[in-house]
Amino acid sequence: MNLRRIGYASVPPLVIACLVFGLMVSPALSEDIGAKVRSACTNCHNLNRVCKNLGVKSETDWTTTVQRMVGKKPVLEGEEVGSAISYLSSLEPKNPEICK
């Protein structure tokens, strides 16, 4: 099969719909996850604890921390847990959203 000859008509409509839907949903979740993380963390402590670990903890460290916190008080659920871990591990030290 010559891959250069495959046009957009060959791509199943369901695949296209999934990609478009994913692009529409992902930004909304990433915009909301910062607020959700701040709210979840401040259920038990202030954000200074989070701030001092930005840029220090690796994604693996944040995974351990977030899973431990969710085990104590499940304020994040489902996809939010993974999004929170990605969000926290991507923040630079002294990020103004967390370190106010």
Side-chain angles (χ1 to χ4, degrees), residues 33-46:
I33 198 63
K36 185 70 175 179
V37 166
R38 289 188 300 277
S39 174
C41 294
T42 56
N43 269 300
C44 300
H45 53 77
N46 64 43

Side-chain angles (χ1 to χ4, degrees), residues 45-60:
H45 53 77
N46 64 43
L47 290 175
N48 290 337
R49 292 180 77 174
V50 179
C51 179
K52 73 178 183 177
N53 288 299
L54 295 179
V56 175
K57 287 190 174 190
S58 67
E59 186 167 355
T60 301

Side-chain angles (χ1 to χ4, degrees), residues 63-75:
T63 300
T64 301
T65 300
V66 170
Q67 288 177 342
R68 186 177 68 245
M69 297 298 129
V70 168
K72 292 179 179 187
K73 191 169 187 177
V75 293

